[in-house]
C-alpha cells in the first residue's frame, strides 16, 4: 500500500513497486491537477476536473436556483474523484484496517474478506447518510409521483449531481483496486460481478435522467449492504456475534420487494402515462416503450439474480449449521455403559496388575 515505509524497496516500476506505492503515485497526479489552478493557462482545464460542470440558472422561479446537467466533461470530473477515492482507500487500509488486522490475527481468507467489508462498510455508511440528507429535501416522502412527474429530469441540484459523480468514481476505482489489493483469483469474478452491476445501473440512471428513481432505490439498498458488511466485521472479531445476519436477511428480502414495486410503479404506470412521450437525445427524453421495458427488465433480472445468490447463501449456511449440530450430538451422546460383572470388579492400578502377572509366570 501507499504511505507505508518498507525496509527493502523493490525494483522501480515493478509490480510490487507499483502496488506498494500506488497511492503516492496517484496523489502526485492529483496534486498536478490542483497545481493547474494556479496558472491562467491551465486553470480552465484544471477546473474541469475539480468542479461540477454544466451549470444552469433558472430565472423563472422567484429565487434563482443553480441546477446542473450532465455532459462529456463529467468524464474528467469522474476521473479526478476516482484518484481521490484511491487515496482515501489507501488511507483507510493503512491507518484503520491494517491495525485491526494485526490484533485479530486472521487467516488469509478472512483477512481479505475483512478488508473488503471494512472498505465497503465505510463507503455504504457515507453514501447512506448522504443519500438520506438529499431525500429529506425532496418531495418523495409526501408525493411519490415526483419520480415521474416532469420527466425528463434534465436539471439536477448540486448535491444530486455531485452524489452521482462520486458514486460512479468510487465504483470505477474499485476495478484497479483488485490489482492494488492483490485480490485472490477465486474472489475476482465475484467482486467483478457486483462492481460492474453498480457501474451499469448508476451510470444508466444518470444518463437516462432517472436520477430521482436511482437515488430512491440506492438508499435502502445501501442500508442493507451496510448491515451485512458490519455484521461480517463483528463476526470476524467474535464468531458468536451472528444476530446481525438475521436482521440483514429480513431487510434484504423487503428491499428486493420494495425495489421491484417502485420500479414497476415508475416504468409501468408513471412514465407510461405522462404527456411527454418520445425519444430525443437533445432534450434528454428517453420515455419510449423500448427504453422503459429495457430498464425494467434489467432491474428485475438483477433482483432475481440477487435473490438466487441470497437463497444459495442461506442454504449453504443452513447445511453447515446442521452438520455442526450433528457432530456435536455425536460427541455428547452417552458412552456404552459397563456390564454388571465389570462394575462389580474393583478398579486396580496398573502397577498392581503387573505384579500379579509376574507372580503367575513365576
Amino acid at each position: 500500500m501507499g504511505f507505508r515505509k518498507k525496509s527493502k524497496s523493490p525494483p522501480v516500476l515493478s509490480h510490487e513497486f507499483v502496488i506498494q506505492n500506488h497511492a503516492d503515485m496517484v496523489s502526485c497526479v492529483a496534486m498536478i491537477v490542483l497545481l493547474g489552478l494556479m496558472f491562467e493557462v491551465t486553470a480552465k482545464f484544471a477546473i474541469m476536473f475539480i468542479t461540477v460542470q454544466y451549470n444552469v440558472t433558472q430565472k423563472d422561479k422567484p429565487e434563482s436556483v443553480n441546477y446542473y446537467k450532465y455532459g462529456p466533461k463529467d468524464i474528467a470530473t469522474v476521473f479526478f474523484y476516482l484518484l481521490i477515492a484511491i487515496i482515501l482507500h489507501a488511507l483507510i487500509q493503512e491507518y484503520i484496517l491494517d491495525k485491526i488486522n494485526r490484533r485479530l490475527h486472521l487467516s488469509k481468507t478472512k483477512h481479505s474478506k475483512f478488508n473488503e467489508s471494512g472498505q465497503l462498510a465505510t463507503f455504504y455508511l457515507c453514501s447512506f447518510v448522504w443519500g438520506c440528507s438529499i431525500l429529506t429535501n425532496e418531495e418523495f416522502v409526501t408525493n411519490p409521483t415526483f419520480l415521474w412527474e416532469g420527466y425528463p429530469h434534465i436539471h439536477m441540484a448540486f448535491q444530486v449531481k455531485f452524489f452521482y459523480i462520486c458514486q460512479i468514481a468510487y465504483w470505477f476505482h474499485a476495478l484497479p483496486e483488485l490489482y492494488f489489493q492483490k485480490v485472490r483469483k477465486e474472489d475476482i469474478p465475484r467482486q467483478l460481478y457486483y462492481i460492474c452491476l453498480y457501474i451499469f445501473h448508476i451510470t444508466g440512471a444518470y444518463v437516462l435522467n432517472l436520477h430521482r428513481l436511482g437515488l430512491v432505490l440506492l438508499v435502502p439498498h445501501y442500508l442493507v449492504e451496510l448491515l451485512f458488511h458490519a455484521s461480517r466485521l463483528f463476526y470476524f472479531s467474535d464468531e458468536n456475534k451472528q444476530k446481525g445476519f438475521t436482521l440483514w436477511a429480513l431487510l434484504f428480502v423487503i428491499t428486493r420487494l420494495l425495489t421491484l414495486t417502485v420500479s414497476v410503479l415508475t416504468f409501468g404506470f408513471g412514465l407510461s402515462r405522462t404527456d411527454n412521450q418520445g425519444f430525443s437525445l437533445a432534450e434528454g427524453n428517453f420515455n419510449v416503450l423500448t427504453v422503459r421495458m429495457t430498464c425494467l427488465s434489467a432491474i428485475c433480472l438483477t433482483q432475481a439474480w440477487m435473490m438466487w445468490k441470497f437463497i444459495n447463501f442461506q442454504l449453504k449456511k443452513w447445511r453447515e449449521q446442521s452438520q455442526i449440530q450433528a457432530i456435536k450430538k455425536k460427541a455428547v451422546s452417552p458412552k456404552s455403559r459397563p456390564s454388571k460383572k465389570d462394575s462389580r470388579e474393583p478398579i486396580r492400578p496398573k502397577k498392581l496388575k503387573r505384579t500379579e502377572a509376574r507372580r503367575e509366570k513365576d
Side-chain angles (χ1 to χ4, degrees):
M1 292 300 301
F3 307 110
R4 187 179 297 176
K5 295 181 180 179
K6 297 289 182 180
S7 56
K8 294 182 179 180
S9 58
V12 180
L13 297 181
S14 63
H15 289 287
E16 194 64 28
F17 178 84
V18 173
I19 291 171
Q20 291 182 8
N21 302 282
H22 72 273
D24 298 324
M25 298 177 183
V26 170
S27 60
C28 291
V29 176
M31 286 299 297
I32 292 172
V33 176
L34 292 173
L35 286 173
L37 295 172
M38 301 177 64
F39 307 98
E40 291 186 13
V41 179
T42 58
K44 295 180 180 180
F45 298 98
I47 201 169
M48 182 175 61
F49 287 86
I50 300 169
T51 61
V52 179
Q53 301 296 310
Y54 301 104
N55 185 11
V56 177
T57 304
Q58 291 186 348
K59 298 180 179 180
D60 54 345
K61 294 186 178 181
E63 295 181 359
S64 60
V65 182
N66 292 329
Y67 288 96
Y68 296 85
K69 296 181 180 181
Y70 71 83
K73 292 181 181 179
D74 291 340
I75 298 174
T77 312
V78 169
F79 174 75
F80 177 77
Y81 286 100
L82 182 149
L83 302 179
I84 301 300
I86 293 176
I87 297 170
L88 293 176
H89 190 116
L91 290 172
I92 294 171
Q93 184 68 40
E94 175 75 18
Y95 295 105
I96 299 176
L97 297 179
D98 284 351
K99 292 183 178 180
I100 298 174
N101 274 321
R102 290 167 193 159
R103 296 180 181 179
L104 295 178
H105 303 288
L106 300 174
S107 61
K108 290 184 178 180
T109 305
K110 290 184 177 181
H111 184 272
S112 61
K113 290 182 178 180
F114 183 87
N115 290 337
E116 179 189 2
S117 293
Q119 295 286 349
L120 289 175
T122 305
F123 169 73
Y124 288 139
L125 177 61
C126 298
S127 299
F128 174 73
V129 174
W130 192 1
C132 286
S133 65
I134 296 173
L135 285 179
T136 52
N137 298 325
E138 299 288 347
E139 302 175 358
F140 175 72
V141 179
T142 57
N143 184 21
T145 57
F146 99 109
L147 289 173
W148 57 82
E149 281 185 351
Y151 184 85
H153 308 133
I154 58 175
H155 294 145
M156 293 176 281
F158 172 79
Q159 288 289 340
V160 176
K161 177 161 185 176
F162 191 53
F163 177 83
Y164 272 93
I165 291 291
C166 293
Q167 293 293 314
I168 297 170
Y170 180 87
W171 290 114
F172 269 109
H173 115 279
L175 294 174
E177 285 294 343
L178 296 176
Y179 170 72
F180 294 146
Q181 295 295 323
K182 293 183 179 180
V183 177
R184 298 184 307 165
K185 291 183 179 180
E186 53 269 26
D187 291 337
I188 290 177
R190 176 183 60 84
Q191 295 190 26
L192 271 178
Y193 286 148
Y194 70 75
I195 291 171
C196 293
L197 283 174
Y198 275 118
I199 293 173
F200 174 74
H201 285 283
I202 295 174
T203 307
Y206 184 71
V207 172
L208 297 177
N209 291 317
L210 295 169
H211 53 84
R212 294 183 182 180
L213 176 63
L215 188 61
V216 169
L217 296 182
L218 272 178
V219 169
H221 174 75
Y222 279 169
L223 175 62
V224 175
E225 293 299 310
L226 170 62
L227 182 59
F228 171 75
H229 288 284
S231 301
R232 195 156 76 161
L233 290 174
F234 286 116
Y235 172 76
F236 287 143
S237 61
D238 186 2
E239 295 185 355
N240 295 322
K241 297 179 180 179
Q242 299 186 13
K243 294 181 179 179
F245 291 109
T246 305
L247 180 60
W248 162 75
L250 178 62
L251 292 178
F252 183 89
V253 177
I254 295 174
T255 305
R256 302 286 74 78
L257 295 175
L258 177 65
T259 301
L260 290 174
T261 303
V262 174
S263 300
V264 172
L265 183 65
T266 303
F267 292 109
F269 298 96
L271 291 175
S272 62
R273 297 181 180 180
T274 56
D275 298 331
N276 194 4
Q277 300 281 337
F279 183 85
S280 175
L281 291 174
E283 297 178 0
N285 188 6
F286 303 94
N287 192 8
V288 291
L289 180 62
T290 306
V291 176
R292 291 199 304 267
M293 289 298 101
T294 302
C295 294
L296 184 59
S297 300
I299 294 174
C300 291
L301 288 174
T302 303
Q303 302 307 307
W305 178 77
M306 293 176 70
M307 280 300 301
W308 174 255
K309 300 288 288 184
F310 172 78
I311 292 170
N312 287 334
F313 173 77
Q314 294 296 329
L315 288 174
K316 183 180 178 182
K317 188 177 179 182
W318 177 75
R319 288 170 186 169
E320 291 176 354
Q321 289 181 352
S322 61
Q323 289 177 358
I324 293 171
Q325 290 178 358
I327 294 171
K328 287 182 179 179
K329 287 181 180 179
K330 290 181 181 179
V332 177
S333 61
K335 297 180 181 179
S336 58
R337 295 181 180 179
S339 60
K340 293 182 179 180
K341 294 181 180 180
D342 296 336
S343 61
R344 291 176 183 175
E345 293 180 358
I347 299 173
R348 293 178 293 180
K350 292 183 179 180
K351 290 183 179 180
L352 185 59
K353 290 182 180 179
R354 289 175 184 174
T355 53
E356 289 180 354
R358 288 176 182 175
R359 288 176 183 176
E360 289 178 359
K361 288 181 180 180
D362 296 339

